[in-house]
Amino acid sequence: MNKMVKVSLAGMAAAAMIAPASIAFAEKTGPEFYGQVNFELTNTDEGGDTNAEWGTNSNYSRLGVKGTNTLDNGLQAFYQIESSVDYNVGVLSGRDTFVGLRGDFGQVSFGRQAAAYRQMVYTGAFSSGTNDTLGVVRAIDKDTGNDLAPGFSTSGVVAPVSRENGVIRYNNSFDGINFAFSLTPVNVPDSDGVAEGDMNFAFGGSMKPMDELTIALAYENRAGGSGTHVLGTTDNDDQTSIGFKAVYNMAPFTVGLGYEQVSNIGNAKDTDLTKIVIPFKMDLGDGMSFNIAISQSEFDLPSGAPSVDSHMNYTVGFEKALGGNTLLQASYAVSDGTGELSAGSTSRDDISVLAFGVKHSF
């Protein structure tokens, strides 16, 4: 055996001894299973000559697994696989599912997740579904009757974007300011109807100027394609959104203010939306809380399009903690206003929803 072979074998032996040590140094946390079972019974009255209807709602029930792996080079890998559970139709569907790395540089994640805009603006007192911060506070879309959180959703005009596939998101904090930036590759059709690669991008930040106050501001640009314009043309444009929220917490009260301006909603040129929402919560003690939300939506359409008046949503809710991460919830919401979204439509009657639910988190 020559000298070089001996050196190579010695190096392989040393590597074999070092490798297990490196693997052993990696510290794993998880997999941790978690979830939320949220059953709701609703009674919806669309006014006019229609009869109130009973229904059930899984209300963002979910099941997930997550964990971390601390590496020997100062990095930490993390992952999450989460699915919604809709027991009305017996299916699972994708929620936030991603993998990422964090370290001194911040945090980068890849996969199906919220872009930076939603992460900054649609959380806490303005989250989708049943509010994490303000209990059962919801609004109703005036024109479709769909239940909506008092965030900035506008179902029926532009579908709220909660999470998307292929989102690349960077998060970091500096001097008390949390900020995020995201890119999402998309394929949108050009003027000839042929799809081509493009990017949606978003960025935003949040901070606490005082212990009781949190504020956030975010911007998003979504690439436009050649889909159908509100007037039947293909004259579309990029959709841009600017959102702001502020939440002030001074026990036992929490109050928020949200504002969003969306231009070219659904990529429809000169079709804009302005929305303002004010959520309020009061802790009553003994695990009970009372909630109110008021929101106003106002649409601005191009000349010649059906007019849409502004309308108001009002919601009251009650929540009682039973211990063991189980909550009893009740809410009543009504949408008040008139307007039309399509040619020949007329003003609509008020829509109201009465809901009772039980939520258990684990």
Side-chain angles (χ1 to χ4, degrees), residues 97-99 108-116 161-170 181-185 200:
T97 299
F98 53 81
V99 64
V108 179
S109 52
F110 311 85
R112 180 172 175 80
Q113 57 185 325
V161 180
S162 55
R163 54 190 60 85
E164 301 173 88
N165 296 327
V167 175
I168 306 168
R169 193 179 72 205
Y170 172 73
F181 177 80
S182 65
L183 291 172
T184 308
N200 297 337

Side-chain angles (χ1 to χ4, degrees), residues 24-296:
F25 187 82
E27 181 181 349
K28 294 183 178 180
T29 301
E32 174 189 349
F33 291 92
Y34 66 95
Q36 173 179 296
V37 181
N38 197 349
F39 179 85
E40 188 175 64
L41 180 66
T42 62
N43 183 269
T44 303
D45 185 355
E46 297 186 4
D49 297 328
T50 62
N51 296 319
E53 297 180 355
W54 290 99
T56 60
N57 186 5
S58 60
N59 213 9
Y60 301 93
S61 295
R62 67 200 65 171
L63 179 66
V65 58
K66 60 183 177 181
T68 63
N69 188 0
T70 302
L71 310 176
D72 59 358
N73 53 6
L75 295 177
Q76 184 182 67
F78 59 93
Y79 64 90
Q80 176 175 310
I81 302 173
E82 184 176 296
S83 176
S84 61
V85 180
D86 188 342
Y87 39 74
N88 281 330
V89 292
V91 299
L92 300 176
S93 58
R95 289 177 59 88
D96 297 73
T97 299
F98 53 81
V99 64
L101 291 172
R102 63 170 63 100
D104 294 337
F105 62 89
Q107 173 177 300
V108 179
S109 52
F110 311 85
R112 180 172 175 80
Q113 57 185 325
Y117 183 86
R118 179 181 184 272
Q119 186 190 32
M120 289 294 168
V121 179
Y122 280 61
T123 55
F126 305 95
S127 61
S128 297
T130 299
N131 262 289
D132 297 329
T133 301
L134 298 183
V136 186
V137 180
R138 67 176 62 219
I140 305 173
D141 184 277
K142 172 64 183 176
D143 304 289
T144 66
N146 293 335
D147 296 340
L148 298 175
F152 307 119
S153 303
T154 54
S155 177
V157 182
V158 52
V161 180
S162 55
R163 54 190 60 85
E164 301 173 88
N165 296 327
V167 175
I168 306 168
R169 193 179 72 205
Y170 172 73
N171 291 83
N172 207 340
S173 60
F174 177 76
D175 198 21
I177 300 176
N178 299 312
F179 58 90
F181 177 80
S182 65
L183 291 172
T184 308
V186 293
N187 293 315
V188 295
D190 57 20
S191 57
D192 297 326
V194 179
E196 60 181 13
D198 213 325
M199 284 280 185
N200 297 337
F201 67 89
F203 58 87
S206 67
M207 62 180 298
K208 293 179 69 69
M210 60 182 69
D211 292 340
E212 300 85 2
L213 178 65
T214 301
I215 59 175
L217 180 67
Y219 172 85
E220 181 176 55
N221 185 92
R222 303 182 62 81
S226 60
T228 302
H229 184 271
V230 68
L231 297 179
T233 69
T234 57
D235 188 16
N236 289 359
D237 210 342
D238 288 1
Q239 174 181 298
T240 60
S241 302
I242 297 176
F244 168 82
K245 75 171 184 181
V247 179
Y248 187 80
N249 187 355
M250 185 177 66
F253 304 105
T254 301
V255 63
L257 172 65
Y259 171 86
E260 185 177 48
Q261 174 70 55
V262 184
S263 299
N264 306 314
I265 59 175
N267 307 126
K269 189 175 180 63
D270 300 327
T271 304
D272 304 327
L273 164 71
T274 301
K275 189 161 189 177
I276 298 175
V277 58
I278 303 174
F280 171 82
K281 174 183 177 180
M282 179 178 179
D283 289 323
L284 303 176
D286 196 25
M288 296 184 293
S289 64
F290 173 73
N291 313 281
I292 300 174
I294 302 173
S295 63
Q296 179 186 33

